Amino acid sequence: METREKIAKLNDVLAYLGLSPEEAIELLELVQKENKPKPGCRIKPGMFWFEDDTFSVNKIEGKKIKAIVELVRYGYIYGDLTASELFDIEEKYLNWYEAKDYLANFSYPCKNGEKIVSYDLYQIQDLAIANCCVETDTSYFCYPYVREAFKKINKKYRHGKNWCFHDCERDWMTAIEFTDDINIISYSKKKDPCFVRPVLAFYLPRH
């Protein structure tokens, strides 16, 4: 549908509803505000994070996926961007130096309150092996939920050695080896490649 055609149809709808363009904008802003996650809402690992910043355990027709929630920790929601239906974002297989540089320079249109992050040792341990879901009211590990969400959209979930990022001068760096059975703390030489994925973090303020 051409832009002019869309405008004409929109004007017809506004006239039918008895709304001015200004009133329609105010209403849309109100709808967008209502759709944003509220403090204390039950956002859990494995949920789909949609373009309009709503969340669901199931894929919703007509909504495009921004990410899949991997972790909820200390007021932050972390989403794996390789699940995105908005952009073609792929997992990379890089050495530690290349991976750190890739994430530091990763280009993404972050909204207010969002940022691209790299997991530190504690975050990726929480994601992979720790009882990390206290904030989401479940005692189960996070990643099985995330894995199932990726399966629903036929996309590749984490598998194999994944880098974590923290300050360290040694030649070796911690990596978490994801498998379908158990995830293991491992180590790799910084010069050897491991997997890395861009992660979107959103701070959910608590009042």
Side-chain angles (χ1 to χ4, degrees), residues 24-51:
I25 290 170
E26 289 179 6
L27 188 60
L28 286 171
E29 288 176 348
L30 179 62
V31 169
Q32 187 177 34
K33 184 178 179 181
E34 287 298 315
N35 280 335
K36 285 190 178 295
K38 308 297 189 301
C41 65
R42 294 175 180 271
I43 299 170
K44 300 179 181 181
M47 280 188 166
F48 295 108
W49 180 353
F50 297 104
E51 181 181 17

mmCIF file of all heavy atoms in Angstrom, residues 24-51:
data_model
loop_
_atom_site.group_PDB
_atom_site.id
_atom_site.type_symbol
_atom_site.label_atom_id
_atom_site.label_comp_id
_atom_site.label_asym_id
_atom_site.label_seq_id
_atom_site.Cartn_x
_atom_site.Cartn_y
_atom_site.Cartn_z
ATOM 1 N N ALA A 24 -5.011 11.871 18.143
ATOM 2 C CA ALA A 24 -4.585 10.524 17.763
ATOM 3 C C ALA A 24 -3.156 10.254 18.231
ATOM 4 O O ALA A 24 -2.839 9.161 18.724
ATOM 5 C CB ALA A 24 -4.676 10.360 16.249
ATOM 6 N N ILE A 25 -2.277 11.265 18.116
ATOM 7 C CA ILE A 25 -0.885 11.121 18.559
ATOM 8 C C ILE A 25 -0.837 10.905 20.064
ATOM 9 O O ILE A 25 -0.109 10.044 20.573
ATOM 10 C CB ILE A 25 -0.048 12.348 18.148
ATOM 11 C CG1 ILE A 25 0.146 12.353 16.617
ATOM 12 C CG2 ILE A 25 1.311 12.346 18.851
ATOM 13 C CD1 ILE A 25 0.746 13.621 16.075
ATOM 14 N N GLU A 26 -1.632 11.690 20.807
ATOM 15 C CA GLU A 26 -1.679 11.537 22.268
ATOM 16 C C GLU A 26 -2.158 10.143 22.660
ATOM 17 O O GLU A 26 -1.641 9.526 23.598
ATOM 18 C CB GLU A 26 -2.601 12.593 22.874
ATOM 19 C CG GLU A 26 -2.039 14.009 22.833
ATOM 20 C CD GLU A 26 -3.003 15.026 23.419
ATOM 21 O OE1 GLU A 26 -4.058 14.610 23.962
ATOM 22 O OE2 GLU A 26 -2.724 16.233 23.337
ATOM 23 N N LEU A 27 -3.154 9.643 21.917
ATOM 24 C CA LEU A 27 -3.681 8.313 22.198
ATOM 25 C C LEU A 27 -2.647 7.233 21.913
ATOM 26 O O LEU A 27 -2.484 6.282 22.688
ATOM 27 C CB LEU A 27 -4.944 8.072 21.360
ATOM 28 C CG LEU A 27 -5.746 6.798 21.660
ATOM 29 C CD1 LEU A 27 -6.236 6.798 23.098
ATOM 30 C CD2 LEU A 27 -6.930 6.690 20.712
ATOM 31 N N LEU A 28 -1.921 7.372 20.802
ATOM 32 C CA LEU A 28 -0.879 6.408 20.463
ATOM 33 C C LEU A 28 0.232 6.406 21.505
ATOM 34 O O LEU A 28 0.765 5.354 21.862
ATOM 35 C CB LEU A 28 -0.301 6.718 19.076
ATOM 36 C CG LEU A 28 -1.184 6.357 17.886
ATOM 37 C CD1 LEU A 28 -0.586 6.909 16.594
ATOM 38 C CD2 LEU A 28 -1.373 4.854 17.777
ATOM 39 N N GLU A 29 0.605 7.594 21.986
ATOM 40 C CA GLU A 29 1.640 7.684 23.023
ATOM 41 C C GLU A 29 1.175 7.011 24.306
ATOM 42 O O GLU A 29 1.956 6.359 24.998
ATOM 43 C CB GLU A 29 1.988 9.153 23.287
ATOM 44 C CG GLU A 29 2.784 9.796 22.154
ATOM 45 C CD GLU A 29 3.036 11.276 22.384
ATOM 46 O OE1 GLU A 29 2.401 11.862 23.303
ATOM 47 O OE2 GLU A 29 3.872 11.842 21.660
ATOM 48 N N LEU A 30 -0.115 7.151 24.613
ATOM 49 C CA LEU A 30 -0.677 6.510 25.804
ATOM 50 C C LEU A 30 -0.652 4.989 25.664
ATOM 51 O O LEU A 30 -0.296 4.269 26.592
ATOM 52 C CB LEU A 30 -2.111 6.995 26.036
ATOM 53 C CG LEU A 30 -2.846 6.392 27.242
ATOM 54 C CD1 LEU A 30 -2.115 6.757 28.531
ATOM 55 C CD2 LEU A 30 -4.286 6.881 27.286
ATOM 56 N N VAL A 31 -1.008 4.488 24.467
ATOM 57 C CA VAL A 31 -0.998 3.052 24.207
ATOM 58 C C VAL A 31 0.418 2.504 24.338
ATOM 59 O O VAL A 31 0.657 1.451 24.936
ATOM 60 C CB VAL A 31 -1.574 2.746 22.809
ATOM 61 C CG1 VAL A 31 -1.314 1.285 22.428
ATOM 62 C CG2 VAL A 31 -3.065 3.035 22.776
ATOM 63 N N GLN A 32 1.390 3.237 23.767
ATOM 64 C CA GLN A 32 2.786 2.812 23.835
ATOM 65 C C GLN A 32 3.270 2.766 25.279
ATOM 66 O O GLN A 32 3.950 1.832 25.694
ATOM 67 C CB GLN A 32 3.668 3.767 23.025
ATOM 68 C CG GLN A 32 5.110 3.304 22.892
ATOM 69 C CD GLN A 32 5.928 4.232 22.034
ATOM 70 O OE1 GLN A 32 5.726 5.443 22.017
ATOM 71 N NE2 GLN A 32 6.866 3.684 21.298
ATOM 72 N N LYS A 33 2.867 3.778 26.054
ATOM 73 C CA LYS A 33 3.249 3.810 27.465
ATOM 74 C C LYS A 33 2.652 2.632 28.223
ATOM 75 O O LYS A 33 3.308 2.005 29.063
ATOM 76 C CB LYS A 33 2.789 5.131 28.083
ATOM 77 C CG LYS A 33 3.223 5.317 29.521
ATOM 78 C CD LYS A 33 2.771 6.669 30.045
ATOM 79 C CE LYS A 33 3.187 6.852 31.503
ATOM 80 N NZ LYS A 33 2.736 8.151 32.044
ATOM 81 N N GLU A 34 1.402 2.299 27.923
ATOM 82 C CA GLU A 34 0.733 1.189 28.609
ATOM 83 C C GLU A 34 1.364 -0.154 28.257
ATOM 84 O O GLU A 34 1.331 -1.092 29.042
ATOM 85 C CB GLU A 34 -0.756 1.170 28.243
ATOM 86 C CG GLU A 34 -1.554 2.280 28.894
ATOM 87 C CD GLU A 34 -1.536 2.185 30.415
ATOM 88 O OE1 GLU A 34 -1.725 1.083 30.940
ATOM 89 O OE2 GLU A 34 -1.295 3.216 31.062
ATOM 90 N N ASN A 35 1.931 -0.247 27.038
ATOM 91 C CA ASN A 35 2.518 -1.509 26.591
ATOM 92 C C ASN A 35 3.910 -1.756 27.149
ATOM 93 O O ASN A 35 4.425 -2.865 27.076
ATOM 94 C CB ASN A 35 2.582 -1.557 25.062
ATOM 95 C CG ASN A 35 1.251 -1.919 24.447
ATOM 96 O OD1 ASN A 35 0.428 -2.563 25.084
ATOM 97 N ND2 ASN A 35 1.018 -1.502 23.225
ATOM 98 N N LYS A 36 4.546 -0.705 27.704
ATOM 99 C CA LYS A 36 5.887 -0.870 28.233
ATOM 100 C C LYS A 36 5.839 -1.690 29.518
ATOM 101 O O LYS A 36 4.868 -1.643 30.256
ATOM 102 C CB LYS A 36 6.537 0.497 28.495
ATOM 103 C CG LYS A 36 6.979 1.188 27.213
ATOM 104 C CD LYS A 36 7.820 2.385 27.519
ATOM 105 C CE LYS A 36 8.309 3.035 26.226
ATOM 106 N NZ LYS A 36 9.204 2.172 25.481
ATOM 107 N N PRO A 37 6.915 -2.465 29.773
ATOM 108 C CA PRO A 37 6.920 -3.269 30.990
ATOM 109 C C PRO A 37 6.840 -2.403 32.228
ATOM 110 O O PRO A 37 7.447 -1.356 32.303
ATOM 111 C CB PRO A 37 8.266 -4.018 30.913
ATOM 112 C CG PRO A 37 9.085 -3.236 29.953
ATOM 113 C CD PRO A 37 8.133 -2.617 28.991
ATOM 114 N N LYS A 38 6.067 -2.835 33.220
ATOM 115 C CA LYS A 38 5.897 -2.089 34.460
ATOM 116 C C LYS A 38 6.824 -2.652 35.535
ATOM 117 O O LYS A 38 7.147 -3.838 35.515
ATOM 118 C CB LYS A 38 4.446 -2.209 34.954
ATOM 119 C CG LYS A 38 3.390 -1.854 33.917
ATOM 120 C CD LYS A 38 3.491 -0.408 33.492
ATOM 121 C CE LYS A 38 2.311 0.006 32.633
ATOM 122 N NZ LYS A 38 2.163 -0.770 31.416
ATOM 123 N N PRO A 39 7.254 -1.801 36.464
ATOM 124 C CA PRO A 39 8.060 -2.304 37.572
ATOM 125 C C PRO A 39 7.349 -3.457 38.283
ATOM 126 O O PRO A 39 6.161 -3.384 38.568
ATOM 127 C CB PRO A 39 8.171 -1.071 38.489
ATOM 128 C CG PRO A 39 8.004 0.097 37.568
ATOM 129 C CD PRO A 39 7.011 -0.369 36.524
ATOM 130 N N GLY A 40 8.108 -4.532 38.511
ATOM 131 C CA GLY A 40 7.528 -5.671 39.215
ATOM 132 C C GLY A 40 6.805 -6.657 38.320
ATOM 133 O O GLY A 40 6.291 -7.659 38.787
ATOM 134 N N CYS A 41 6.723 -6.379 36.995
ATOM 135 C CA CYS A 41 6.027 -7.321 36.125
ATOM 136 C C CYS A 41 6.862 -8.587 35.953
ATOM 137 O O CYS A 41 8.069 -8.567 36.106
ATOM 138 C CB CYS A 41 5.703 -6.685 34.772
ATOM 139 S SG CYS A 41 7.153 -6.272 33.797
ATOM 140 N N ARG A 42 6.208 -9.674 35.642
ATOM 141 C CA ARG A 42 6.869 -10.970 35.635
ATOM 142 C C ARG A 42 7.481 -11.286 34.271
ATOM 143 O O ARG A 42 6.951 -12.088 33.518
ATOM 144 C CB ARG A 42 5.884 -12.052 36.037
ATOM 145 C CG ARG A 42 5.421 -11.931 37.474
ATOM 146 C CD ARG A 42 4.352 -12.958 37.777
ATOM 147 N NE ARG A 42 3.900 -12.867 39.145
ATOM 148 C CZ ARG A 42 4.451 -13.513 40.161
ATOM 149 N NH1 ARG A 42 5.492 -14.291 39.957
ATOM 150 N NH2 ARG A 42 3.977 -13.381 41.385
ATOM 151 N N ILE A 43 8.570 -10.637 33.971
ATOM 152 C CA ILE A 43 9.320 -10.925 32.752
ATOM 153 C C ILE A 43 10.329 -12.009 33.087
ATOM 154 O O ILE A 43 11.075 -11.898 34.054
ATOM 155 C CB ILE A 43 10.014 -9.658 32.224
ATOM 156 C CG1 ILE A 43 8.973 -8.586 31.887
ATOM 157 C CG2 ILE A 43 10.859 -9.988 30.994
ATOM 158 C CD1 ILE A 43 9.547 -7.231 31.598
ATOM 159 N N LYS A 44 10.319 -13.085 32.295
ATOM 160 C CA LYS A 44 11.114 -14.260 32.624
ATOM 161 C C LYS A 44 11.991 -14.677 31.442
ATOM 162 O O LYS A 44 11.656 -14.404 30.287
ATOM 163 C CB LYS A 44 10.196 -15.435 33.000
ATOM 164 C CG LYS A 44 9.298 -15.166 34.192
ATOM 165 C CD LYS A 44 8.419 -16.374 34.482
ATOM 166 C CE LYS A 44 7.493 -16.094 35.657
ATOM 167 N NZ LYS A 44 6.652 -17.263 35.984
ATOM 168 N N PRO A 45 13.103 -15.365 31.720
ATOM 169 C CA PRO A 45 13.910 -15.941 30.642
ATOM 170 C C PRO A 45 13.067 -16.856 29.759
ATOM 171 O O PRO A 45 12.217 -17.606 30.250
ATOM 172 C CB PRO A 45 14.982 -16.730 31.402
ATOM 173 C CG PRO A 45 15.098 -16.027 32.704
ATOM 174 C CD PRO A 45 13.715 -15.582 33.038
ATOM 175 N N GLY A 46 13.302 -16.766 28.456
ATOM 176 C CA GLY A 46 12.546 -17.564 27.500
ATOM 177 C C GLY A 46 11.373 -16.822 26.894
ATOM 178 O O GLY A 46 10.749 -17.318 25.947
ATOM 179 N N MET A 47 11.055 -15.632 27.412
ATOM 180 C CA MET A 47 9.968 -14.834 26.823
ATOM 181 C C MET A 47 10.438 -14.147 25.543
ATOM 182 O O MET A 47 11.609 -13.800 25.398
ATOM 183 C CB MET A 47 9.493 -13.769 27.809
ATOM 184 C CG MET A 47 8.556 -14.274 28.878
ATOM 185 S SD MET A 47 7.896 -12.880 29.841
ATOM 186 C CE MET A 47 6.553 -13.711 30.705
ATOM 187 N N PHE A 48 9.502 -13.964 24.626
ATOM 188 C CA PHE A 48 9.777 -13.162 23.437
ATOM 189 C C PHE A 48 9.662 -11.691 23.803
ATOM 190 O O PHE A 48 8.716 -11.275 24.479
ATOM 191 C CB PHE A 48 8.797 -13.508 22.316
ATOM 192 C CG PHE A 48 8.950 -14.916 21.808
ATOM 193 C CD1 PHE A 48 7.999 -15.880 22.088
ATOM 194 C CD2 PHE A 48 10.067 -15.275 21.058
ATOM 195 C CE1 PHE A 48 8.145 -17.183 21.638
ATOM 196 C CE2 PHE A 48 10.220 -16.579 20.601
ATOM 197 C CZ PHE A 48 9.260 -17.532 20.889
ATOM 198 N N TRP A 49 10.622 -10.915 23.341
ATOM 199 C CA TRP A 49 10.664 -9.467 23.559
ATOM 200 C C TRP A 49 10.347 -8.838 22.206
ATOM 201 O O TRP A 49 11.120 -8.952 21.261
ATOM 202 C CB TRP A 49 12.040 -9.095 24.058
ATOM 203 C CG TRP A 49 12.298 -7.652 24.354
ATOM 204 C CD1 TRP A 49 11.499 -6.579 24.111
ATOM 205 C CD2 TRP A 49 13.488 -7.133 24.971
ATOM 206 N NE1 TRP A 49 12.101 -5.421 24.529
ATOM 207 C CE2 TRP A 49 13.325 -5.743 25.066
ATOM 208 C CE3 TRP A 49 14.672 -7.718 25.430
ATOM 209 C CZ2 TRP A 49 14.314 -4.920 25.609
ATOM 210 C CZ3 TRP A 49 15.651 -6.899 25.971
ATOM 211 C CH2 TRP A 49 15.467 -5.527 26.064
ATOM 212 N N PHE A 50 9.199 -8.183 22.109
ATOM 213 C CA PHE A 50 8.725 -7.692 20.826
ATOM 214 C C PHE A 50 9.153 -6.247 20.562
ATOM 215 O O PHE A 50 9.573 -5.522 21.468
ATOM 216 C CB PHE A 50 7.196 -7.807 20.737
ATOM 217 C CG PHE A 50 6.700 -9.229 20.803
ATOM 218 C CD1 PHE A 50 6.117 -9.721 21.966
ATOM 219 C CD2 PHE A 50 6.841 -10.079 19.719
ATOM 220 C CE1 PHE A 50 5.675 -11.031 22.046
ATOM 221 C CE2 PHE A 50 6.406 -11.396 19.787
ATOM 222 C CZ PHE A 50 5.819 -11.873 20.957
ATOM 223 N N GLU A 51 9.010 -5.852 19.302
ATOM 224 C CA GLU A 51 9.419 -4.526 18.844
ATOM 225 C C GLU A 51 8.759 -3.414 19.653
ATOM 226 O O GLU A 51 9.361 -2.364 19.891
ATOM 227 C CB GLU A 51 9.078 -4.369 17.357
ATOM 228 C CG GLU A 51 9.479 -3.052 16.747
ATOM 229 C CD GLU A 51 9.084 -2.960 15.283
ATOM 230 O OE1 GLU A 51 8.237 -3.768 14.840
ATOM 231 O OE2 GLU A 51 9.609 -2.081 14.588
#
